[in-house]
Amino acid sequence: MFSTLLTLPTCWEQLQKTDKPIVMYGMGNGADRLLTIFEGLGVEVKEFFASDAFVRGHSFHGKRVKKLAEIQEEYEDFVIVVAFAVQDRPTMDAICRLNEQYELYAPDLPVAGETLFDREFFLAHMDELQQTCDSLADERSREVFLDLLRYKLTGKIDPLMKTEDGREEVLRELLPFGKNEAFVDLGAYNGDTVAEFLKACEGTFDAIYALEPDGKNFKKMGKRLEEMGLGSDARICLCNAAAWSEPTTLYFAAKAGRNSTVTAAGKETPAESVDHVLGGARASYMKLDVEGSEREALAGAAETIRRHRPKILLSAYHRSEDLFALPAQINGIAEGYRFYLRRFPYIPAWEINYICIPE
């Protein structure tokens, strides 16, 4: 099966050889990164367009940003490159409709790091990918894994859309909660996943430990808990810190959003390890969504994982190697975990998650 993936043309190869004009849908950081890659490949972007509501006569990289209708009037046919991330269903549906009309790519870019999931990367890690796929716990996981590889190589959204599952349904099926759960939330954002946990366990729990490095998000989380009547609950420990391998200080690019990341420079931010925060206390469920620092966060939770073997919801989309490296890391910490792979709706391939269940 994996050998057949080698016959697929990559999006980068297709964009290099196309005779059609290439138009980019979207602006911002994703578009900037793609343009840098395109420059190295000798790929020219003819036009930029945005959704009608965002077109206000402005320009991007020296070109006026147009409406799709203007592009359609000017060119009989063209290639669309989607350069932004989206999870709202109406916009995703609109992209799917464009995909039916035109040759369309939504290239896979790592959220953290610079390593592309291209043909060279696939060849270098094919054995690790095959081993990971073979080890997955159910057929749906293997289907998702293979379709993700097809998407990552080709940039085509048809295989990507096949990988979607509803978050609430997946968590209900694979992460049933009892009445005495101890939840460790790494990358707690504004408290949305704490609220999700409280709903799932019907408000009955032993402990919650929530780490969030961004100050604005941390305040929103505290306010949310206060509104839920849990602002002074002694069972809840809120920590304004990044999850890391050890207690330290990091530089943090605070964006007050989900994609705030640890960087080489920026605002100094405290970092904590799970093992240090818990001090040996029990954890029954752990969620990690720490924008590319999953490897370090797992290292800092190693003793907790070995001792208490919690259920783990693990984001696996920030770095190109996450698909195979993160399950291997958990296996290296504590053997006997079953790995289920699910992806929640998003374009591009964000919200890839391993649900790790101890045997």
Side-chain angles (χ1 to χ4, degrees):
M1 177 62 73
F2 271 50
S3 60
T4 64
L5 296 175
L6 291 172
T7 67
L8 296 174
T10 70
C11 64
W12 315 110
E13 294 163 352
Q14 294 292 85
L15 291 169
Q16 279 182 302
K17 72 179 187 181
T18 186
D19 293 327
K20 301 176 188 177
I22 297 172
V23 300
M24 186 169 285
Y25 182 13
M27 302 158 286
N29 292 338
D32 286 333
R33 291 182 68 191
L34 279 172
L35 289 171
T36 299
I37 295 168
F38 286 174
E39 184 178 358
L41 297 174
V43 173
E44 180 186 2
V45 174
K46 289 287 188 181
E47 306 281 358
F48 298 96
F49 77 95
S51 302
D52 289 359
F54 293 96
V55 177
R56 302 183 181 90
H58 52 295
S59 63
F60 186 67
H61 284 264
K63 296 179 182 288
R64 183 172 67 86
V65 178
K66 299 179 179 180
K67 296 181 179 181
L68 175 61
E70 294 179 87
I71 303 291
Q72 292 169 324
E73 287 180 6
E74 188 167 350
Y75 303 98
E76 182 176 347
D77 195 12
F78 46 87
V79 176
I80 298 175
V81 177
V82 179
F84 62 99
V86 59
Q87 68 177 147
D88 75 87
R89 183 53 64 182
T91 306
M92 291 174 63
D93 288 344
I95 292 172
C96 289
R97 289 193 295 271
L98 286 174
N99 184 58
E100 294 173 355
Q101 295 178 264
Y102 300 100
E103 184 179 350
L104 180 145
Y105 300 95
D108 181 65
L109 297 178
V111 177
E114 301 297 328
T115 303
L116 291 178
F117 200 112
D118 54 14
R119 189 182 301 279
E120 182 179 358
F121 181 88
F122 178 71
L123 282 167
H125 298 285
M126 192 160 63
D127 289 346
E128 294 155 288
L129 290 163
Q130 180 74 69
Q131 291 167 10
T132 302
C133 185
D134 291 343
S135 71
L136 294 175
D138 67 351
E139 185 60 30
R140 178 56 180 162
S141 296
R142 291 183 286 275
E143 290 173 355
V144 170
F145 195 94
L146 290 170
D147 277 326
L148 282 172
L149 295 185
R150 293 184 183 101
Y151 159 72
K152 285 175 171 287
L153 287 167
T154 67
K156 301 296 290 181
I157 66 170
D158 302 279
L160 180 66
M161 303 311 289
K162 293 179 182 178
T163 67
E164 285 189 5
D165 285 292
R167 181 183 180 97
E168 186 173 341
E169 177 185 353
V170 168
L171 298 187
R172 184 172 60 249
E173 175 190 355
L174 296 176
L175 284 170
F177 294 126
K179 299 298 184 182
N180 62 340
E181 302 285 348
F183 177 33
V184 178
D185 191 352
L186 307 183
Y189 187 45
N190 62 9
D192 57 345
T193 43
V194 170
E196 177 183 70
F197 166 76
L198 289 168
K199 179 181 178 181
C201 68
E202 300 179 348
T204 305
F205 64 95
D206 278 359
I208 295 174
Y209 305 87
L211 276 68
E212 169 54 45
D214 183 84
K216 291 183 179 179
N217 291 334
F218 184 78
K219 289 179 181 178
K220 290 178 182 177
M221 176 168 55
K223 183 178 180 181
R224 178 180 289 218
L225 287 170
E226 287 177 5
E227 291 171 350
M228 297 172 70
L230 297 170
S232 58
D233 195 307
R235 297 171 297 171
I236 299 176
C237 172
L238 304 184
C239 188
N240 187 192
W244 202 248
S245 56
E246 60 183 353
T248 187
T249 299
L250 300 171
Y251 291 103
F252 191 75
K255 303 175 186 176
R258 280 202 183 278
N259 299 325
S260 299
T261 54
V262 174
T263 58
K267 181 181 178 181
E268 283 193 356
T269 302
E272 271 290 358
S273 71
V274 169
D275 291 343
H276 184 252
V277 171
L278 270 62
R282 186 177 69 93
S284 66
Y285 171 45
M286 188 179 300
K287 185 222 82 181
L288 295 91
D289 187 354
V290 289
E291 305 306 327
S293 299
E294 282 78 12
R295 178 179 59 190
E296 290 81 6
L298 283 171
E303 183 57 34
T304 300
I305 293 171
R306 277 192 291 266
R307 180 181 298 183
H308 300 292
R309 300 180 65 79
K311 304 177 288 286
I312 301 172
L313 177 63
L314 175 63
S315 291
Y317 65 93
H318 297 107
R319 298 181 183 274
S320 291
E321 61 269 26
D322 283 352
L323 268 181
F324 58 87
L326 295 180
Q329 184 177 359
I330 290 180
N331 273 332
I333 293 171
E335 294 182 354
Y337 270 87
R338 302 191 309 275
F339 296 94
Y340 298 85
L341 183 64
R342 298 292 189 269
R343 195 185 76 85
F344 308 137
Y346 230 114
I347 295 176
W350 291 11
E351 286 295 336
I352 300 169
N353 294 274
Y354 279 110
I355 298 94
C356 316
I357 306 298
E359 295 178 347

PDB file of all heavy atoms in Angstrom, residues 6-18:
ATOM      1  N   LEU A   6       3.933   6.343  -3.525  1.00  0.00           N
ATOM      2  CA  LEU A   6       5.074   6.943  -4.223  1.00  0.00           C
ATOM      3  C   LEU A   6       4.728   7.338  -5.649  1.00  0.00           C
ATOM      4  O   LEU A   6       5.428   8.146  -6.263  1.00  0.00           O
ATOM      5  CB  LEU A   6       6.258   5.975  -4.228  1.00  0.00           C
ATOM      6  CG  LEU A   6       6.917   5.717  -2.869  1.00  0.00           C
ATOM      7  CD1 LEU A   6       7.944   4.603  -2.985  1.00  0.00           C
ATOM      8  CD2 LEU A   6       7.560   6.988  -2.348  1.00  0.00           C
ATOM      9  N   THR A   7       3.659   6.773  -6.201  1.00  0.00           N
ATOM     10  CA  THR A   7       3.262   7.116  -7.569  1.00  0.00           C
ATOM     11  C   THR A   7       2.438   8.396  -7.622  1.00  0.00           C
ATOM     12  O   THR A   7       2.179   8.924  -8.706  1.00  0.00           O
ATOM     13  CB  THR A   7       2.440   5.973  -8.193  1.00  0.00           C
ATOM     14  OG1 THR A   7       1.185   5.847  -7.499  1.00  0.00           O
ATOM     15  CG2 THR A   7       3.199   4.647  -8.097  1.00  0.00           C
ATOM     16  N   LEU A   8       2.010   8.897  -6.475  1.00  0.00           N
ATOM     17  CA  LEU A   8       1.177  10.100  -6.460  1.00  0.00           C
ATOM     18  C   LEU A   8       2.015  11.337  -6.765  1.00  0.00           C
ATOM     19  O   LEU A   8       3.087  11.529  -6.182  1.00  0.00           O
ATOM     20  CB  LEU A   8       0.517  10.269  -5.088  1.00  0.00           C
ATOM     21  CG  LEU A   8      -0.476   9.192  -4.660  1.00  0.00           C
ATOM     22  CD1 LEU A   8      -0.919   9.434  -3.216  1.00  0.00           C
ATOM     23  CD2 LEU A   8      -1.678   9.170  -5.588  1.00  0.00           C
ATOM     24  N   PRO A   9       1.546  12.208  -7.644  1.00  0.00           N
ATOM     25  CA  PRO A   9       2.260  13.473  -7.873  1.00  0.00           C
ATOM     26  C   PRO A   9       2.058  14.398  -6.682  1.00  0.00           C
ATOM     27  O   PRO A   9       0.944  14.528  -6.172  1.00  0.00           O
ATOM     28  CB  PRO A   9       1.593  14.023  -9.129  1.00  0.00           C
ATOM     29  CG  PRO A   9       0.217  13.446  -9.117  1.00  0.00           C
ATOM     30  CD  PRO A   9       0.339  12.085  -8.498  1.00  0.00           C
ATOM     31  N   THR A  10       3.105  15.022  -6.199  1.00  0.00           N
ATOM     32  CA  THR A  10       2.957  15.945  -5.078  1.00  0.00           C
ATOM     33  C   THR A  10       2.415  17.272  -5.577  1.00  0.00           C
ATOM     34  O   THR A  10       2.523  17.613  -6.759  1.00  0.00           O
ATOM     35  CB  THR A  10       4.298  16.184  -4.369  1.00  0.00           C
ATOM     36  OG1 THR A  10       5.154  16.957  -5.221  1.00  0.00           O
ATOM     37  CG2 THR A  10       4.981  14.863  -4.007  1.00  0.00           C
ATOM     38  N   CYS A  11       1.822  18.021  -4.653  1.00  0.00           N
ATOM     39  CA  CYS A  11       1.286  19.327  -5.053  1.00  0.00           C
ATOM     40  C   CYS A  11       2.406  20.243  -5.545  1.00  0.00           C
ATOM     41  O   CYS A  11       2.209  21.034  -6.471  1.00  0.00           O
ATOM     42  CB  CYS A  11       0.527  19.968  -3.899  1.00  0.00           C
ATOM     43  SG  CYS A  11       1.510  20.390  -2.450  1.00  0.00           S
ATOM     44  N   TRP A  12       3.581  20.111  -4.953  1.00  0.00           N
ATOM     45  CA  TRP A  12       4.695  20.967  -5.350  1.00  0.00           C
ATOM     46  C   TRP A  12       5.113  20.658  -6.782  1.00  0.00           C
ATOM     47  O   TRP A  12       5.389  21.570  -7.576  1.00  0.00           O
ATOM     48  CB  TRP A  12       5.871  20.775  -4.389  1.00  0.00           C
ATOM     49  CG  TRP A  12       5.453  20.758  -2.952  1.00  0.00           C
ATOM     50  CD1 TRP A  12       5.448  19.692  -2.104  1.00  0.00           C
ATOM     51  CD2 TRP A  12       4.913  21.860  -2.196  1.00  0.00           C
ATOM     52  NE1 TRP A  12       4.960  20.046  -0.876  1.00  0.00           N
ATOM     53  CE2 TRP A  12       4.627  21.367  -0.894  1.00  0.00           C
ATOM     54  CE3 TRP A  12       4.668  23.192  -2.493  1.00  0.00           C
ATOM     55  CZ2 TRP A  12       4.102  22.184   0.102  1.00  0.00           C
ATOM     56  CZ3 TRP A  12       4.139  24.002  -1.498  1.00  0.00           C
ATOM     57  CH2 TRP A  12       3.864  23.499  -0.224  1.00  0.00           C
ATOM     58  N   GLU A  13       5.144  19.391  -7.137  1.00  0.00           N
ATOM     59  CA  GLU A  13       5.486  18.988  -8.501  1.00  0.00           C
ATOM     60  C   GLU A  13       4.430  19.467  -9.497  1.00  0.00           C
ATOM     61  O   GLU A  13       4.756  19.950 -10.591  1.00  0.00           O
ATOM     62  CB  GLU A  13       5.636  17.462  -8.575  1.00  0.00           C
ATOM     63  CG  GLU A  13       6.818  16.931  -7.782  1.00  0.00           C
ATOM     64  CD  GLU A  13       6.723  15.429  -7.516  1.00  0.00           C
ATOM     65  OE1 GLU A  13       5.673  14.817  -7.803  1.00  0.00           O
ATOM     66  OE2 GLU A  13       7.717  14.873  -7.000  1.00  0.00           O
ATOM     67  N   GLN A  14       3.165  19.341  -9.114  1.00  0.00           N
ATOM     68  CA  GLN A  14       2.082  19.756  -9.996  1.00  0.00           C
ATOM     69  C   GLN A  14       2.090  21.259 -10.229  1.00  0.00           C
ATOM     70  O   GLN A  14       1.862  21.730 -11.352  1.00  0.00           O
ATOM     71  CB  GLN A  14       0.735  19.334  -9.401  1.00  0.00           C
ATOM     72  CG  GLN A  14       0.518  17.832  -9.335  1.00  0.00           C
ATOM     73  CD  GLN A  14       0.375  17.212 -10.716  1.00  0.00           C
ATOM     74  OE1 GLN A  14       1.368  16.887 -11.380  1.00  0.00           O
ATOM     75  NE2 GLN A  14      -0.855  17.052 -11.158  1.00  0.00           N
ATOM     76  N   LEU A  15       2.354  22.011  -9.188  1.00  0.00           N
ATOM     77  CA  LEU A  15       2.381  23.469  -9.324  1.00  0.00           C
ATOM     78  C   LEU A  15       3.575  23.926 -10.156  1.00  0.00           C
ATOM     79  O   LEU A  15       3.499  24.939 -10.858  1.00  0.00           O
ATOM     80  CB  LEU A  15       2.403  24.117  -7.940  1.00  0.00           C
ATOM     81  CG  LEU A  15       1.103  23.964  -7.131  1.00  0.00           C
ATOM     82  CD1 LEU A  15       1.309  24.397  -5.686  1.00  0.00           C
ATOM     83  CD2 LEU A  15      -0.028  24.768  -7.776  1.00  0.00           C
ATOM     84  N   GLN A  16       4.665  23.192 -10.072  1.00  0.00           N
ATOM     85  CA  GLN A  16       5.838  23.545 -10.876  1.00  0.00           C
ATOM     86  C   GLN A  16       5.604  23.353 -12.371  1.00  0.00           C
ATOM     87  O   GLN A  16       6.118  24.116 -13.189  1.00  0.00           O
ATOM     88  CB  GLN A  16       7.044  22.703 -10.452  1.00  0.00           C
ATOM     89  CG  GLN A  16       7.767  23.213  -9.221  1.00  0.00           C
ATOM     90  CD  GLN A  16       8.981  22.368  -8.889  1.00  0.00           C
ATOM     91  OE1 GLN A  16       8.871  21.159  -8.671  1.00  0.00           O
ATOM     92  NE2 GLN A  16      10.134  22.999  -8.849  1.00  0.00           N
ATOM     93  N   LYS A  17       4.816  22.363 -12.734  1.00  0.00           N
ATOM     94  CA  LYS A  17       4.688  22.030 -14.161  1.00  0.00           C
ATOM     95  C   LYS A  17       3.410  22.565 -14.818  1.00  0.00           C
ATOM     96  O   LYS A  17       3.258  22.462 -16.025  1.00  0.00           O
ATOM     97  CB  LYS A  17       4.763  20.521 -14.351  1.00  0.00           C
ATOM     98  CG  LYS A  17       3.544  19.740 -13.889  1.00  0.00           C
ATOM     99  CD  LYS A  17       3.728  18.252 -14.164  1.00  0.00           C
ATOM    100  CE  LYS A  17       2.464  17.453 -13.863  1.00  0.00           C
ATOM    101  NZ  LYS A  17       2.646  16.009 -14.109  1.00  0.00           N
ATOM    102  N   THR A  18       2.478  23.136 -14.031  1.00  0.00           N
ATOM    103  CA  THR A  18       1.216  23.562 -14.620  1.00  0.00           C
ATOM    104  C   THR A  18       1.410  24.711 -15.606  1.00  0.00           C
ATOM    105  O   THR A  18       2.277  25.580 -15.422  1.00  0.00           O
ATOM    106  CB  THR A  18       0.206  23.968 -13.532  1.00  0.00           C
ATOM    107  OG1 THR A  18      -1.052  24.231 -14.144  1.00  0.00           O
ATOM    108  CG2 THR A  18       0.673  25.208 -12.771  1.00  0.00           C
TER     109      THR A  18
END
